[in-house]
Amino acid sequence: MPRMSKKQKQEWALFLNDRNRIIYNELCRKCRNDCKQSFRCIVVLCPKYLSKRRTNKND
């Protein structure tokens, strides 16, 4: 794996772990869409993800 430049490291800082590897959120790892989120964040908004725990607002 090629090394990242200083500029790339600054751009990807939210996604890099302690070994300087890009890591995505657990829900995003297996997702085929390109709207990936960082492992440091909770899933804020993902138009493709529907949770089984989600409640209906109409009830």
Side-chain angles (χ1 to χ4, degrees):
M1 183 174 176
R3 292 185 183 183
M4 290 183 148
S5 67
K6 187 175 182 180
K7 183 178 178 181
Q8 284 178 324
K9 280 186 184 181
Q10 290 174 345
E11 289 175 2
W12 286 98
L14 188 62
F15 291 87
L16 295 176
N17 66 359
D18 57 343
R19 297 175 67 193
N20 289 332
R21 294 187 180 222
I22 296 173
I23 304 231
Y24 300 110
N25 195 316
E26 280 291 326
L27 298 174
C28 296
R29 284 186 189 173
K30 296 178 184 175
C31 185
R32 61 187 167 108
N33 302 304
D34 59 354
C35 57
K36 306 286 190 205
Q37 296 184 20
S38 172
F39 73 101
R40 297 178 194 271
C41 302
I42 59 170
V43 176
V44 177
L45 176 66
C46 182
K48 312 295 183 190
Y49 175 73
L50 296 175
S51 174
K52 292 180 181 177
R53 295 186 214 169
R54 183 177 170 184
T55 59
N56 229 347
K57 291 185 178 180
N58 296 335
D59 291 341

